[in-house]
Amino acid sequence: MTRIADRPSDKTVAVLTLVDLATGAKREILRAGWIDQLRRIPGSEAWSALIDRGEGVQLYRVEPDGRVAPIIIHPATVRFGEVDGWLLPGFAHSPLGIGVKAYSWSPDGLWLFYILLDAIRPERGVQHDEEIAEQRGMRRPRGQATASLYVRAADGSIQLVAKRPRSDLRSIFSKGDVNWSATGFEYVLMDAEEGGRQRKRTMAWSFAEKRSREIGSTVQVASWMLPGPRGGRLTAEGVGGSREIVETDQNGKRYSYGHFPFSIGHGAGFGGFRTADGRRAIVNARTIEDPRYGIAVIEAKGLRTIWGKASLIQCDFTPTLRNGACIAEGQSRPPSIVTIDVDAGKVEQVASVSDQHDEIAPLEVTPRTWTNRYGHKATGYVIWPRHYVTGRRYPAIVITHGYDADQRFAVQENQWEYPAQVLAERGYVVLLINIPSSRFNKDLHDADRAWATERGLMPPEEMRKLLWLTGVASFETAIQELAAAGVIDRERVGIAGYSRGSQLVNVAMTQSKIFRAASSGDGAYLEPVYEPDMPESYRAVFGGSPFDPKFLPNYLALSPSLRTGEACGAILQQVAAPHAGAIDFYRALRAAGVPTQLSLFPGEDDSSDETHIFHIPSNRMAAMQENLAWFDYWLKGERDPLSPSASRYAEWDRMRDAIPARCRADERTGA
Amino acid sequence: MTRIADRPSDKTVAVLTLVDLATGAKREILRAGWIDQLRRIPGSEAWSALIDRGEGVQLYRVEPDGRVAPIIIHPATVRFGEVDGWLLPGFAHSPLGIGVKAYSWSPDGLWLFYILLDAIRPERGVQHDEEIAEQRGMRRPRGQATASLYVRAADGSIQLVAKRPRSDLRSIFSKGDVNWSATGFEYVLMDAEEGGRQRKRTMAWSFAEKRSREIGSTVQVASWMLPGPRGGRLTAEGVGGSREIVETDQNGKRYSYGHFPFSIGHGAGFGGFRTADGRRAIVNARTIEDPRYGIAVIEAKGLRTIWGKASLIQCDFTPTLRNGACIAEGQSRPPSIVTIDVDAGKVEQVASVSDQHDEIAPLEVTPRTWTNRYGHKATGYVIWPRHYVTGRRYPAIVITHGYDADQRFAVQENQWEYPAQVLAERGYVVLLINIPSSRFNKDLHDADRAWATERGLMPPEEMRKLLWLTGVASFETAIQELAAAGVIDRERVGIAGYSRGSQLVNVAMTQSKIFRAASSGDGAYLEPVYEPDMPESYRAVFGGSPFDPKFLPNYLALSPSLRTGEACGAILQQVAAPHAGAIDFYRALRAAGVPTQLSLFPGEDDSSDETHIFHIPSNRMAAMQENLAWFDYWLKGERDPLSPSASRYAEWDRMRDAIPARCRADERTGA
């Protein structure tokens, strides 16, 4: 299944393609607004999937010849996405009406577990206290719904397993995670408790009794669980250059398979597989340096790996785990379909995924690591301009989204609207840089934990350094090394990043003088305006409220909008909604005379917004073109009369001419 | 025309009643969702009005027998109110679709000037900079529209006078203000200029030429202009206990009618009238102490007044200004219709407006003034409990909305959801108190001006004192005097106020220990969260941003949410939308252990909100009942099992029992 931009409808559409692994022949069998949870129906040649064919997301059966027949159709009254009445926010998809949320087939294909959602129209009445307070930072009003869990027998009879409130996030988020057995299945519910906590209840449904009882909570029910050959759970432990792969059984007994230069169990790859007889388990693996994905085969006798030319992801295997198929892709390698011979450890290419991309001669990409002045190591890649000429100094652009730079091809989580390859074609040296990973360093690990658990275990100045400034320092180190090597022109360096990356961009532009231009994508965490909406998170970072004189200095030391007097480079912010934090940063930059632009990419209609990762093709295109125009203007002094941004050049000229005296080039020698 | 609550439909409806001034006979002739700009059609027995009869607000002709016929019907595509796509916010009305915005008949009734509105569907595309920034504090997205000015001749032919953008606030806000002459009419346009300023252009339309030209801007065009007998403009000048009534002609020449203990030209009354021959002018007058409304008759020979038993408002007169009719009402006097014999200076009651209210025996109301410890004088009223017993100490409630306590009956701008009369019936001494007026004191006047012009002419500590603390000091003085006189029990005193009044309530509760309970209505100005949305206003009050360490102390000294450690009394906030500032105050009160409740009263549907002054009858009723329950609980320790708030008592008990040690009664002796 691929998701592609359909230009005429300006929608992202899902395309289901059948590939003959023997011949590599491809055949498109289905095209729909949404396809998800595509699974083989046990004991048949057909698949099932959640598909939006115009009446909301429902469960269908898909035959190999592309014929589609309904399995479960339920009125789609519940909305997912950045839309009024949302039940869950959207991740790079347009607003969806959901009828069937999740499902699972029993291994024999006789039983079907599924979850239906029903919107609840709340009574319109006076609201009190927390009901109101939770709307403070909420742009789109949230809806209410129930989730109903059902099981269908082979004879078509249906039992209601449970009806759950919205507060049961496990059921609302479910992808159909159940453990099937001969007598029933196990599943998990979450109960909301006082203080916002959730209590997990593991339940077992009995086919015979037609009811559930609660069972011990040590039972693991999750699609991402990694079963080992010994019946335990596989994990990768440790910090630094290697990991210990360990299997832990239900009694807590540990068995070590040894130390390896990779970890296991990353979501980007695939979950865990285990043969029925337990002789073999397969999990995905990710190398620590030059991060790429492969396959770890674990048997009682030990662990071995299968690697492709770049990364192997989204693998699936036959029940015996003898044969499989994956997507293979890398930084300079467009996705293709490969088959895996597990016994032989062989990877063989079968078909390309995108013929258009295969036509482009790959750019040269070099994996790199850099150690910054704090002693922290960062991984990443240098993408070289086509026809790179040694000795010539090139403009450069750093792109970051935290930790997502690895051996994959144009991954949106890393590049978002920053087309690294196009920038390289246009003569930029592009650096995809991960910030120093907490898996390398104990201090970073502790800072990450303090942030994630929202407990102030570390002083704000340490948090600032370990979560943001060390990232900026890594970018500086990378730039300095390439400038010292005569590769790049340090007066023409830009930076781009979205979400976690936008934090780093905004901090970099208000703490470092090294960047002349920046593009910051849809993120404004660190702005004081959000403190009341996430006080615990901000307490972990800043110590407390910005209105407490004790903690205000911590904001003045980090919040980008409070440091615009330190900024000089031109800053573009691209946002999916009019975020208050982004507006505050924009206004503060304007007040300080720093060139800046705020660009909002709208949703489908008045009742919805573009998603955090854009899903509307024209928005993605417009954002990419704007980034090209922005960097070309500020770093290369180039303007393109055909760019959609051409109408903005006069404003950019005005801002360039009005740059404050403290920022003028002749005063930047200390940069 | 009256607006009444229609309980079955839960709507506020407009009712047009025809009163025979000779007999007092009343006849309801029209009932509609909205009636506005009701005017006699010159040269006919009929009226015209803007009426919503189900196809938006349009211009109709209303016959004395109640027959209604359309004059101008235009598709009502533009929305007014607290609603998605609003063009103007709502003032105590449900969302309205507007087709005809305003109109005016020429004095001979031959020409009709009118303004039509058309929504503009903005192109959905990438937005930039200020287009985005203005959405920061905006709960409901704003719509776009044009205003088209037309004139219709007696023969039915129609000319477009001008088509104006949304930025022409004069046209958008218009009520049809034009000056008619024999050859055409004069009107005013506003052009948006850089920096958000507006430039006024006064235009003259020529019937003959069928076009407009710009004329000198000294020409006054406004319905509230007060024409004097000498052809100039009437104004009231001065500060303190009297005003000089002055007429100024177009050359700036001034003629004084003398000094009087009243001012003229208040909006709550009526505009100015002048006979065609200029021999007589009439304007409304308002006394300075015990503020009430009357009629000032101005002739070449001098000025005389006509007063009723309480206030005379909404007066209208025959063209000769010999006879008129008004609404008469007072603090203890429900509205009635009176006729005015201008020559004789006589006022005669003709009919009641609300028979239901006439049935209630009036409560005793005493006008009072109080001088606080700053030497500032405040006016107001004491409403006595029915069957008041001298020597018994009563619980007391202060109600304030800035300056609106005057001789009118249950005015929503003052009492909003605080039913003063019902509270008095329930045994409270109710004090309606105006804060010290800037018309009494030059320092208050300067502070008001600094606030209104948003220029920091006065140090923040002075602004704080003159705009808020002196109001609180007046309340304290009033309470202390009544407690010293043995009238009230100073341990059982509450305070309520909305909008401007809510600022005073929130400041009082975080600066004074005198109030045990409070109700604060739909206002959170002074909260730091709004600084970025109104930086100039906040600069005038606080000096600058709360994130500037120089100005943070000014916020810590005044912003209620930053002073909850000083609060002890129970604070109820009633809001029309989930305002961030009210939520911040609520959360800070909770964090400080201060009993508090936040109550949100919803709009008609998901796309609209309740208005600042509530317009949905069930919300008004619920808010009043909640206030009764709140004060009865916290001041009198009473609970009513039938109150809609009965389900909240357990939570109130919990908060009462958890009150911080610093607030316990035995520690409050210094209060």
Side-chain angles (χ1 to χ4, degrees):
Chain A
M1 200 269 293
T2 50
R3 292 193 207 283
I4 62 161
D6 183 60
R7 297 293 297 278
S9 68
D10 200 19
K11 288 188 193 318
T12 298
V13 297
V15 179
L16 198 57
T17 305
L18 189 65
V19 181
D20 184 327
L21 293 179
T23 66
K26 293 188 291 184
R27 188 159 49 86
E28 180 181 322
I29 57 173
L30 182 65
R31 189 173 276 245
W34 184 254
I35 302 177
D36 195 20
Q37 298 182 28
L38 176 69
R39 294 166 190 157
R40 174 76 73 177
I41 300 176
S44 91
E45 286 299 299
W47 292 269
S48 53
L50 300 179
I51 306 175
D52 188 348
R53 305 184 75 203
E55 42 181 347
V57 176
Q58 310 290 357
L59 180 59
Y60 294 93
R61 177 186 177 99
V62 183
E63 303 292 343
D65 63 6
R67 273 181 302 139
V68 176
I71 300 173
I72 306 284
I73 305 289
H74 183 71
T77 59
V78 172
R79 305 195 79 187
F80 282 35
E82 300 300 327
V83 60
D84 289 348
W86 59 278
L87 193 69
L88 285 183
F91 182 82
H93 65 72
S94 54
L96 290 174
I98 305 274
V100 184
K101 176 61 187 74
Y103 73 99
S104 176
W105 294 105
S106 64
D108 58 10
L110 296 179
W111 298 89
L112 172 64
F113 168 84
Y114 59 94
I115 299 179
L116 305 182
L117 300 181
D118 291 283
I120 300 169
R121 189 87 196 153
E123 232 182 287
R124 290 194 75 78
V126 184
Q127 295 176 17
H128 295 295
D129 300 348
E130 290 306 317
E131 287 174 287
I132 307 165
E134 74 159 25
Q135 298 172 52
R136 185 186 188 280
M138 210 177 276
R139 176 164 158 77
R140 300 285 175 194
R142 195 161 74 170
Q144 290 295 328
T146 57
S148 295
L149 287 57
Y150 289 94
V151 63
R152 193 182 76 178
D155 66 3
S157 65
I158 291 168
Q159 298 292 327
L160 176 65
V161 175
K163 185 168 177 178
R164 303 295 303 161
R166 194 208 176 288
S167 56
D168 181 351
L169 296 178
R170 179 79 180 221
S171 297
I172 299 289
F173 273 103
S174 175
K175 289 181 179 291
D177 301 338
V178 297
N179 293 343
W180 293 97
S181 69
T183 59
F185 58 88
E186 296 159 357
Y187 61 100
V188 174
L189 305 178
M190 299 290 264
D191 289 325
E193 293 193 319
E194 267 202 44
R197 285 186 305 274
Q198 294 255 325
R199 196 178 76 85
K200 189 171 138 181
R201 268 198 294 146
T202 306
M203 310 293 294
W205 173 266
S206 158
F207 294 143
E209 296 174 33
K210 296 186 178 172
R211 62 184 190 84
S212 290
R213 61 186 170 80
E214 189 165 349
I215 55 171
S217 65
T218 57
V219 174
Q220 296 294 322
V221 181
S223 60
W224 42 263
M225 189 181 68
L226 304 177
R230 287 167 172 78
R233 281 169 66 209
L234 293 166
T235 51
E237 297 178 2
V239 170
S242 71
R243 299 285 180 279
E244 186 179 12
I245 310 295
V246 175
E247 184 170 352
T248 309
D249 72 16
Q250 299 216 8
N251 304 318
K253 208 182 142 193
R254 290 159 51 89
Y255 178 86
S256 174
Y257 290 93
H259 286 76
F260 303 91
F262 57 83
S263 64
I264 61 169
H266 289 269
F270 46 88
F273 299 90
R274 183 171 178 271
T275 54
D277 62 9
R279 290 207 180 155
R280 175 177 283 177
I282 285 180
V283 296
N284 81 312
R286 188 194 198 219
T287 49
I288 289 163
E289 297 204 3
D290 181 12
R292 66 191 200 282
Y293 297 87
I295 296 167
V297 183
I298 305 169
E299 289 147 337
K301 63 185 176 196
L303 185 157
R304 65 190 166 92
T305 52
I306 302 171
W307 301 102
K309 293 231 174 67
S311 281
L312 301 174
I313 61 169
Q314 293 179 38
C315 302
D316 201 0
F317 296 89
T318 56
T320 59
L321 301 188
R322 283 236 167 111
N323 296 289
C326 302
I327 301 289
E329 66 173 321
Q331 280 290 352
S332 57
R333 180 173 290 274
S336 62
I337 309 282
V338 296
T339 53
I340 312 292
D341 179 335
V342 179
D343 289 343
K346 274 211 309 216
V347 179
E348 198 169 339
Q349 179 158 342
V350 173
S352 78
V353 168
S354 165
D355 297 335
Q356 277 172 301
H357 285 98
D358 284 346
E359 282 168 16
I360 303 169
L363 290 160
E364 195 186 339
V365 179
T366 313
R368 283 289 302 268
T369 65
W370 295 278
T371 300
N372 70 18
R373 63 176 179 273
Y374 301 115
H376 294 146
K377 196 158 86 170
T379 59
Y381 298 86
V382 178
I383 307 181
W384 300 87
R386 199 176 291 282
H387 314 305
Y388 171 74
V389 178
T390 309
R392 213 162 104 188
R393 285 184 182 271
Y394 288 79
I397 293 176
V398 170
I399 299 177
T400 187
H401 173 231
Y403 314 100
D404 288 333
D406 56 25
Q407 282 290 2
R408 283 183 296 164
F409 184 76
V411 171
Q412 62 183 6
E413 281 82 347
N414 185 37
Q415 294 178 220
W416 192 57
E417 314 316 347
Y418 316 115
Q421 292 80 359
V422 179
L423 287 164
E425 298 276 8
R426 281 168 101 93
Y428 293 94
V429 171
V430 178
L431 295 96
L432 303 179
I433 309 184
N434 291 317
I435 59 176
S437 163
S438 66
R439 301 309 297 266
F440 281 122
N441 294 76
K442 187 168 166 2
D443 55 350
L444 291 169
H445 180 76
D446 292 348
D448 262 1
R449 215 167 72 96
W451 197 22
T453 59
E454 303 189 340
R455 292 170 59 193
L457 306 168
M458 207 175 256
E461 56 270 30
E462 282 294 295
M463 293 291 277
R464 200 152 68 225
K465 183 183 94 179
L466 297 172
L467 293 170
W468 292 279
L469 299 185
T470 191
V472 174
S474 296
F475 308 150
E476 288 179 331
T477 297
I479 301 290
Q480 281 151 2
E481 286 185 17
L482 285 171
V487 172
I488 65 170
D489 174 0
R490 59 177 296 163
E491 290 298 315
R492 295 187 293 159
V493 180
I495 183 168
Y498 111 96
S499 198
R500 179 76 168 100
S502 84
Q503 298 166 21
L504 291 155
V505 170
N506 297 352
V507 169
M509 297 306 287
T510 51
Q511 305 265 0
S512 166
K513 302 280 183 207
I514 212 165
F515 299 105
R516 271 288 177 90
S519 177
S520 174
D522 204 48
Y525 182 83
L526 296 181
E527 289 303 332
V529 66
Y530 295 131
E531 188 275 334
D533 296 315
M534 34 183 135
E536 298 306 314
S537 177
Y538 272 55
R539 192 155 58 83
V541 173
F542 295 103
S545 160
F547 306 123
D548 187 328
K550 198 157 72 248
F551 305 121
L552 178 56
N554 297 328
Y555 289 84
L556 295 171
L558 184 60
S559 296
S561 73
L562 304 184
R563 300 183 55 81
T564 55
E566 305 294 316
C568 284
I571 301 173
L572 170 66
Q573 291 186 89
Q574 297 180 322
V575 291
H579 308 302
I583 292 169
D584 288 350
F585 189 36
Y586 159 79
R587 283 180 173 159
L589 288 165
R590 280 284 163 115
V594 180
T596 191
Q597 177 168 309
L598 180 58
S599 297
L600 170 70
F601 298 81
E604 278 85 358
D605 53 38
D606 288 342
S607 73
S608 64
D609 291 313
E610 180 55 282
T611 42
H612 183 45
I613 292 180
F614 289 5
H615 68 272
I616 301 176
S618 61
N619 279 345
R620 301 199 91 152
M621 183 69 82
M624 288 189 184
Q625 287 175 320
E626 187 170 83
N627 281 319
L628 296 176
W630 185 257
F631 285 119
D632 284 354
Y633 178 93
W634 292 102
L635 296 183
K636 301 201 291 187
E638 287 176 9
R639 43 184 91 203
D640 172 3
L642 299 179
S643 166
S645 295
S647 64
R648 305 288 302 169
Y649 288 142
E651 171 71 0
W652 298 357
D653 287 346
R654 194 198 58 69
M655 293 193 295
R656 185 198 55 202
D657 295 344
I659 208 162
R662 65 178 171 80
C663 293
R664 298 210 190 282
D666 52 346
E667 296 178 32
R668 292 176 67 247
T669 46
Chain B
M1 198 269 292
T2 50
R3 292 192 207 284
I4 62 162
D6 183 60
R7 298 292 298 279
S9 67
D10 201 17
K11 288 189 192 316
T12 298
V13 298
V15 179
L16 199 58
T17 306
L18 189 65
V19 181
D20 185 327
L21 293 180
T23 66
K26 293 187 291 185
R27 186 159 47 86
E28 180 181 320
I29 57 174
L30 182 64
R31 190 172 275 246
W34 184 251
I35 303 177
D36 196 19
Q37 298 181 27
L38 175 70
R39 292 165 192 158
R40 173 77 73 178
I41 300 176
S44 91
E45 287 298 299
W47 292 270
S48 53
L50 301 178
I51 305 175
D52 188 347
R53 306 184 75 203
E55 42 181 347
V57 176
Q58 310 290 355
L59 181 59
Y60 295 92
R61 179 185 177 99
V62 183
E63 304 294 341
D65 63 6
R67 273 181 303 139
V68 177
I71 301 173
I72 307 285
I73 305 290
H74 183 72
T77 59
V78 172
R79 306 195 80 188
F80 282 35
E82 302 300 328
V83 59
D84 289 348
W86 59 278
L87 193 68
L88 285 183
F91 182 82
H93 65 71
S94 54
L96 290 173
I98 304 274
V100 184
K101 176 62 186 73
Y103 73 99
S104 176
W105 296 103
S106 64
D108 58 12
L110 296 177
W111 299 87
L112 173 64
F113 168 84
Y114 59 93
I115 299 179
L116 305 182
L117 300 181
D118 292 282
I120 300 168
R121 190 85 198 154
E123 233 181 285
R124 287 195 76 77
V126 184
Q127 295 176 17
H128 295 295
D129 300 348
E130 290 305 318
E131 287 174 286
I132 308 164
E134 73 159 27
Q135 298 172 53
R136 184 186 189 278
M138 209 176 276
R139 174 162 158 80
R140 299 287 174 192
R142 194 161 76 171
Q144 289 295 328
T146 58
S148 295
L149 287 57
Y150 290 94
V151 63
R152 191 183 78 176
D155 65 4
S157 66
I158 291 167
Q159 299 291 328
L160 177 66
V161 175
K163 185 169 175 179
R164 304 293 304 161
R166 193 208 177 287
S167 56
D168 181 351
L169 296 179
R170 180 80 179 219
S171 297
I172 299 289
F173 272 103
S174 176
K175 289 180 178 294
D177 301 338
V178 298
N179 293 342
W180 293 97
S181 69
T183 58
F185 59 87
E186 296 159 358
Y187 61 99
V188 174
L189 305 177
M190 299 290 263
D191 290 325
E193 292 193 319
E194 266 201 43
R197 284 185 305 274
Q198 294 256 324
R199 196 178 76 85
K200 186 172 139 181
R201 267 195 296 145
T202 307
M203 309 293 294
W205 174 266
S206 160
F207 295 144
E209 295 176 31
K210 296 186 176 170
R211 60 183 193 85
S212 291
R213 62 188 168 80
E214 189 165 350
I215 56 172
S217 64
T218 57
V219 175
Q220 296 293 324
V221 181
S223 60
W224 42 263
M225 187 180 70
L226 304 177
R230 288 167 172 78
R233 280 170 66 210
L234 294 165
T235 50
E237 297 178 0
V239 170
S242 72
R243 298 286 179 279
E244 186 178 11
I245 310 295
V246 174
E247 183 170 352
T248 308
D249 72 13
Q250 299 219 5
N251 303 317
K253 210 182 140 195
R254 291 159 50 91
Y255 178 85
S256 174
Y257 291 92
H259 287 77
F260 303 91
F262 56 82
S263 65
I264 61 168
H266 289 270
F270 46 87
F273 300 90
R274 183 173 180 269
T275 56
D277 62 9
R279 290 208 180 154
R280 176 177 282 175
I282 283 179
V283 296
N284 80 315
R286 187 194 199 220
T287 49
I288 289 163
E289 297 204 3
D290 182 10
R292 65 191 200 281
Y293 296 88
I295 296 167
V297 183
I298 305 169
E299 290 146 336
K301 65 186 174 195
L303 183 155
R304 65 189 165 93
T305 51
I306 301 171
W307 302 102
K309 292 229 177 70
S311 281
L312 300 174
I313 60 168
Q314 294 180 36
C315 302
D316 201 1
F317 296 88
T318 56
T320 61
L321 302 188
R322 284 236 166 109
N323 295 290
C326 302
I327 301 288
E329 65 173 322
Q331 280 288 352
S332 56
R333 181 173 289 273
S336 63
I337 310 282
V338 296
T339 55
I340 312 291
D341 178 336
V342 179
D343 291 343
K346 276 211 308 218
V347 179
E348 197 170 339
Q349 180 158 341
V350 174
S352 77
V353 168
S354 164
D355 298 334
Q356 277 175 299
H357 285 98
D358 284 346
E359 282 168 18
I360 304 169
L363 290 160
E364 196 188 338
V365 178
T366 312
R368 282 289 304 267
T369 64
W370 295 277
T371 300
N372 70 19
R373 64 175 179 272
Y374 300 116
H376 294 144
K377 195 158 85 171
T379 59
Y381 300 86
V382 178
I383 308 181
W384 299 87
R386 199 177 291 282
H387 314 304
Y388 170 74
V389 179
T390 309
R392 212 164 103 189
R393 287 185 181 271
Y394 289 78
I397 293 176
V398 170
I399 300 179
T400 187
H401 174 230
Y403 314 100
D404 289 332
D406 56 26
Q407 282 290 4
R408 283 184 295 165
F409 185 77
V411 171
Q412 62 183 5
E413 282 81 348
N414 185 37
Q415 293 178 222
W416 193 58
E417 312 317 345
Y418 315 115
Q421 291 80 3
V422 179
L423 288 164
E425 298 277 8
R426 282 168 100 95
Y428 293 94
V429 171
V430 178
L431 295 95
L432 303 180
I433 310 183
N434 292 317
I435 58 175
S437 162
S438 67
R439 301 308 298 265
F440 281 121
N441 294 75
K442 189 170 165 358
D443 55 351
L444 291 169
H445 180 78
D446 292 348
D448 263 1
R449 214 168 71 94
W451 196 23
T453 60
E454 303 189 339
R455 293 170 57 194
L457 305 168
M458 207 174 257
E461 56 271 30
E462 282 294 297
M463 294 289 278
R464 199 150 71 223
K465 183 182 93 180
L466 296 171
L467 293 170
W468 291 278
L469 299 185
T470 190
V472 175
S474 296
F475 308 151
E476 287 179 331
T477 298
I479 301 290
Q480 280 151 3
E481 287 185 17
L482 285 171
V487 172
I488 65 169
D489 173 1
R490 59 177 296 162
E491 289 298 315
R492 294 187 292 160
V493 180
I495 183 170
Y498 110 95
S499 200
R500 179 77 167 99
S502 84
Q503 297 166 23
L504 291 154
V505 170
N506 297 352
V507 169
M509 297 305 288
T510 51
Q511 305 265 357
S512 167
K513 303 281 183 205
I514 211 163
F515 299 105
R516 271 288 177 89
S519 177
S520 174
D522 205 46
Y525 182 82
L526 297 181
E527 288 303 331
V529 66
Y530 295 131
E531 188 276 334
D533 296 316
M534 34 183 135
E536 298 305 314
S537 178
Y538 271 56
R539 193 154 58 83
V541 173
F542 295 102
S545 159
F547 306 122
D548 187 328
K550 200 157 69 249
F551 304 121
L552 177 56
N554 296 328
Y555 289 84
L556 295 172
L558 185 59
S559 297
S561 72
L562 305 185
R563 300 183 56 80
T564 54
E566 303 295 316
C568 283
I571 302 173
L572 170 65
Q573 291 186 89
Q574 296 180 323
V575 292
H579 308 302
I583 293 168
D584 288 350
F585 189 36
Y586 159 78
R587 284 180 173 161
L589 287 166
R590 280 284 162 115
V594 180
T596 192
Q597 177 168 308
L598 181 57
S599 297
L600 171 70
F601 297 81
E604 278 84 358
D605 53 38
D606 288 343
S607 73
S608 64
D609 291 313
E610 180 54 283
T611 44
H612 182 45
I613 293 180
F614 288 5
H615 68 273
I616 301 175
S618 60
N619 280 344
R620 301 199 91 153
M621 184 69 82
M624 288 189 184
Q625 288 175 318
E626 187 170 82
N627 281 317
L628 296 178
W630 185 257
F631 285 119
D632 284 354
Y633 179 92
W634 292 101
L635 296 183
K636 303 201 288 183
E638 289 176 8
R639 44 185 89 202
D640 173 2
L642 298 178
S643 167
S645 294
S647 64
R648 307 287 302 169
Y649 288 143
E651 171 72 359
W652 299 357
D653 288 345
R654 193 197 58 71
M655 294 193 293
R656 185 199 56 203
D657 295 344
I659 210 161
R662 65 179 172 81
C663 293
R664 299 209 192 281
D666 52 347
E667 297 179 30
R668 293 176 67 245
T669 48

